[in-house]
Amino acid sequence: MHDLQSLLNDINQTLISYEDRGVVADYIPELAKQDSQSFGMTVATVDGQVLSVGDTDVPFSIQSISKVFVLTMALGKIGDTLWKRVGREPSGSAFNSIVQLEHEKGIPRNPFINAGAIVTTDVVLAGHKPKETIGEILRFVRGLVNEDAIYIDEHVARSETQTGYRNAALANYMRAFGNLDNPVEEVLGVYFHQCAIAMSCSELARAGLYLANGGVNPQGGIKVIPPRRVRRINAIMMTCGHYDGSGDFAFRVGLPGKSGVGGGILAIVPNKAAIAVWSPGLDTNGNSKLGTVALEILVAKTGWSVFGA
Ligand code: GLN
């Protein structure tokens, strides 16, 4: 068995001098303030080890990684009827694209592009006030890690509310097709706040463990979701978790993964571990550039790709 901690240290050493770090997201002004030199990586194993290197205690904006948690909650609320309102096919277009929505009558391709996540947020919001729903999402994520310090960065939420014209367009468009039940402003309010959840790599890796462990959170043994649902969420992470870069991520890393424009990636090694990596510089698809390289090296050395060593 390889020594995971030395492997993480080696990855950090290799990447420290990397210059090609991509570009920090600037369409949400608050995210543009991030330091592109930040880098952290945590591996949390189902048998209780938590190994880290770099800036793994620094909270960052998880952005679209929140879509995994909100999908989990939406499925918990309405089960498979969710699939009448959102598909499960890769979109082959950008995370904030509107083009397919017209052809497909307001049904987003999958729950991990913005339009799809706005639908899962609408499902979780049903019957509640936006504030209650934001609280419910935060409580769910905190509960996965047993860490009440996880918070919502109000500056990021406000910054995105002020500039989220594309998301407003997507939401209005879907509402016109009857695929949003709640008022657009309320759904967007919740969506922007879930994206603004701030977590460190060490917290995020632990939060993802239920997806590596058949739906049971190994930290306390709580059953979060049934195994069948884990399998399906992991499948969607593999095929859709990196937008138009999902094929490339499968090719290079070969793990279910979900990226966010804050520069984080959550990757799942079924039955073994959850990995969180953070480096704010993004590639043209909005996925962490160095984060992907780090995962690529880790998987090459461990043989952890689901497609074989
Ligand atoms: N909050 C971001 C947005 O809606 C999330 C996008 C992302 O992380 N890819 O634009």
Side-chain angles (χ1 to χ4, degrees):
M1 170 83 182
H2 41 264
D3 176 356
L4 261 182
Q5 185 62 58
S6 358
L7 177 53
L8 290 180
N9 298 346
D10 289 351
I11 292 172
N12 191 36
Q13 274 313 312
T14 310
L15 297 188
I16 232 157
S17 53
Y18 244 66
E19 296 200 345
D20 187 13
R21 285 173 179 254
V23 185
V24 174
D26 59 3
Y27 76 101
I28 300 172
E30 202 59 31
L31 291 182
K33 297 180 183 165
Q34 295 194 103
D35 179 2
S36 63
Q37 294 307 305
S38 306
F39 174 79
M41 189 174 204
T42 295
V43 178
T45 65
V46 294
D47 57 15
Q49 297 183 69
V50 180
L51 306 163
S52 290
V53 74
D55 307 316
T56 49
D57 290 323
V58 183
F60 63 90
S61 193
I62 67 167
Q63 291 295 315
S64 285
I65 301 169
S66 64
K67 291 169 179 163
V68 175
F69 303 125
V70 176
L71 171 63
T72 303
M73 292 173 73
L75 285 168
K77 288 226 152 142
I78 62 166
D80 284 345
T81 52
L82 177 69
W83 305 119
K84 294 198 171 96
R85 294 181 55 188
V86 59
R88 37 186 200 249
E89 287 295 340
S91 69
S93 45
F95 62 85
N96 52 13
S97 171
I98 201 165
V99 290
Q100 283 161 345
L101 270 183
E102 177 161 24
H103 293 299
E104 296 171 7
K105 304 204 166 25
I107 308 291
R109 274 286 169 102
N110 66 68
F112 291 156
I113 50 174
N114 287 10
I118 290 168
V119 170
T120 56
T121 300
D122 185 60
V123 167
V124 176
L125 176 59
H128 299 278
K129 297 257 181 282
K131 272 207 171 124
E132 290 169 352
T133 308
I134 294 167
E136 196 189 347
I137 297 170
L138 188 59
R139 265 193 307 280
F140 176 72
V141 174
R142 282 177 171 172
L144 290 172
V145 196
N146 198 12
E147 182 50 82
D148 282 348
I150 294 170
Y151 65 100
I152 290 175
D153 186 329
E154 287 294 338
H155 297 288
V156 174
R158 201 168 315 126
S159 184
E160 191 165 0
T161 306
Q162 285 160 356
T163 56
Y165 304 112
R166 273 175 174 260
N167 287 319
L170 294 169
N172 277 295
Y173 208 54
M174 290 190 291
R175 174 99 193 188
F177 278 106
N179 198 16
L180 280 195
D181 293 335
N182 297 284
V184 163
E185 310 71 49
E186 294 192 5
V187 184
L188 287 177
V190 177
Y191 172 77
F192 293 144
H193 280 80
Q194 81 196 34
C195 288
I197 292 174
M199 292 170 82
S200 64
C201 280
S202 125
E203 290 163 342
L204 183 60
R206 286 180 286 140
L209 274 172
Y210 71 102
L211 294 169
N213 195 44
V216 177
N217 189 343
Q219 311 150 111
I222 293 166
K223 187 172 169 197
V224 184
I225 46 172
R228 184 180 76 135
R229 196 161 282 163
V230 170
R231 198 178 71 221
R232 290 173 157 188
I233 294 174
N234 281 338
I236 303 170
M237 288 174 78
M238 175 70 87
T239 51
C240 312
H242 282 71
Y243 317 111
D244 207 10
S246 299
D248 195 53
F249 188 81
F251 180 84
R252 289 169 58 193
V253 177
L255 293 175
K258 183 74 207 83
S259 67
V261 288
I265 301 174
L266 172 65
I268 304 300
V269 191
N271 306 315
K272 286 201 174 69
I275 308 167
V277 59
W278 173 52
S279 169
L282 308 178
D283 63 20
T284 49
N285 289 317
N287 302 317
S288 174
K289 203 158 189 179
L290 219 59
T292 309
V293 176
L295 286 168
E296 201 175 3
I297 302 174
L298 183 89
V299 159
K301 298 277 188 202
T302 53
W304 276 355
S305 161
V306 301
F307 299 112

